[in-house]
Amino acid sequence: MDLRKSCPVALNPSLIPTDVTFVIEHCGSEVKAHKFILAMGSPVFLNQFFGPLKETREILPVKETTKESFAAMVDFLYGKEIDWKAMSVDEMFDIANMAEKYHMEAVKKAFEDYPLDETNVVVCASHAREYGQFEELVNTLLLQCAKFLKTVLVKVKDFEVFAAKYCDTNLSETALKLLGVMLTVPQVNCCTSETCRRGNCMYRKEDFQEGDKVKFCPVAKDSDVTDDQRKHGSEGIVTGMGNSCVTVKPEDGRQFDYYIIKGGFPTFMFCKC
């Protein structure tokens, strides 16, 4: 039973005493929970706590995970919102390891929504390939990476730049693998202009026009860019232009003047063709 579907709000049984404590083996940290709620979200917990050979201990050891990953999995069972986009690929696979152990299918959806950009797409795919025991999840993330590349590798020049960037690195094999996976992705409708730079970083004043929709870059160093805007790739509309700054009204707030480049890092990416 997925509590996120059946409950309009996350469960908050703070007034009810917990009846099971999990101790993370490698650090000794504790995660407390309610057996009944865990059993509703996982058939493994259901059998463990309420099956014929039910567990009667109130303190249970947990191996091969971190407190953060196990606690996130428990929060997920309580129907709480998990900020998957703030996690690294390694952290997500650590939670996936727990989800597979406890047969929690709903966790897999997070891999379809992982935020990608040109700075992390090949690195994410490379990390994912290290987790061969999760073949389905690895293939899901590789397909998402390939779909993203399909939106930014449009012209011959784009492929040449991509190849030059990774050919002599330890990511070369993964980069080639993604190009192969791209063949299975339907063609993305895109303009035929040489200036099509959807998903690319914006480095020059000439890249901007008033009325353009732009996306915050995950590596932006401008102090007016919030962590949420970086993590989630928030979008905004260009409302004004300066020599080294642009005025943008984000979809989630009031407009600011932002540096085009700050500390050597671009603030925005092209949002679409």
Side-chain angles (χ1 to χ4, degrees):
M1 179 179 182
D2 190 341
L3 294 180
R4 286 164 307 287
K5 295 179 180 178
S6 58
C7 298
V9 296
L11 298 181
N12 182 27
S14 57
L15 299 180
I16 303 174
T18 58
D19 54 2
V20 63
T21 299
F22 297 94
V23 179
I24 311 303
E25 186 178 69
H26 90 278
C27 64
S29 297
E30 296 182 349
V31 176
K32 298 180 181 293
H34 302 81
K35 293 180 181 179
F36 182 72
I37 293 175
L38 299 183
M40 290 179 66
S42 163
V44 175
F45 280 131
L46 176 62
N47 186 63
Q48 182 178 9
F49 296 137
F50 300 101
L53 301 175
K54 64 181 180 181
E55 176 65 67
T56 58
R57 292 176 297 172
E58 294 184 359
I59 300 177
L60 301 175
V62 178
K63 300 179 180 180
E64 299 178 352
T65 190
T66 64
K67 178 189 177 181
E68 291 75 17
S69 295
F70 191 81
M73 186 197 71
V74 170
D75 285 345
F76 188 81
L77 288 172
Y78 275 72
K80 297 179 181 179
E81 288 294 326
I82 308 299
D83 190 3
W84 301 106
K85 295 182 179 182
M87 296 182 182
S88 68
V89 172
D90 291 327
E91 289 170 333
M92 288 186 64
F93 272 102
D94 195 17
I95 294 175
N97 182 42
M98 291 288 99
E100 182 167 282
K101 178 179 178 180
Y102 295 104
H103 296 182
M104 295 165 51
E105 294 294 322
V107 171
K108 295 179 181 179
K109 180 65 170 62
F111 284 76
E112 299 176 2
D113 300 326
Y114 194 77
L116 298 167
D117 57 64
E118 287 188 279
T119 66
N120 73 0
V121 60
V122 178
V123 174
C124 287
S126 179
H127 282 305
R129 295 181 70 203
E130 296 175 3
Y131 294 89
Q133 68 271 36
F134 302 111
E135 182 177 1
E136 182 181 350
L137 293 181
V138 170
N139 289 338
T140 295
L141 190 53
L142 289 180
L143 181 60
Q144 294 307 110
C145 291
K147 286 180 178 179
F148 172 80
L149 286 179
K150 196 87 170 184
T151 69
V152 295
L153 300 183
V154 180
K155 305 298 179 184
V156 172
K157 184 67 175 179
D158 298 331
F159 285 91
E160 291 175 347
V161 172
F162 182 80
K165 181 177 181 179
Y166 294 107
C167 65
D168 293 322
T169 72
N170 59 357
L171 297 174
S172 59
E173 183 179 347
T174 299
L176 185 61
K177 171 73 173 178
L178 289 177
L179 292 178
V181 177
M182 281 177 61
L183 293 176
T184 68
V185 178
Q187 183 63 42
V188 177
N189 292 328
C190 187
C191 69
T192 57
S193 170
E194 289 293 338
T195 61
C196 176
R197 295 263 66 90
R198 179 172 48 181
N200 285 10
C201 295
M202 307 172 78
Y203 291 95
R204 305 173 304 158
K205 176 183 176 182
E206 291 74 22
D207 290 336
F208 297 83
Q209 290 186 355
E210 288 191 25
D212 279 353
K213 181 179 285 188
V214 294
K215 179 179 292 189
F216 285 99
C217 187
V219 296
K221 300 298 183 183
D222 190 302
S223 59
D224 287 324
V225 180
T226 67
D227 288 339
D228 281 345
Q229 288 170 334
R230 293 187 188 90
K231 290 176 183 177
H232 302 305
S234 299
E235 298 176 355
I237 301 295
V238 178
T239 59
M241 307 279 295
N243 289 328
S244 60
C245 298
V246 291
T247 305
V248 173
K249 184 176 182 178
E251 58 186 4
D252 53 0
R254 61 188 181 88
Q255 68 182 25
F256 283 95
D257 291 332
Y258 298 93
Y259 286 104
I260 296 174
I261 295 179
K262 181 69 172 179
F265 293 89
T267 302
F268 296 101
M269 298 188 299
F270 289 94
C271 187
K272 60 181 181 179
C273 298

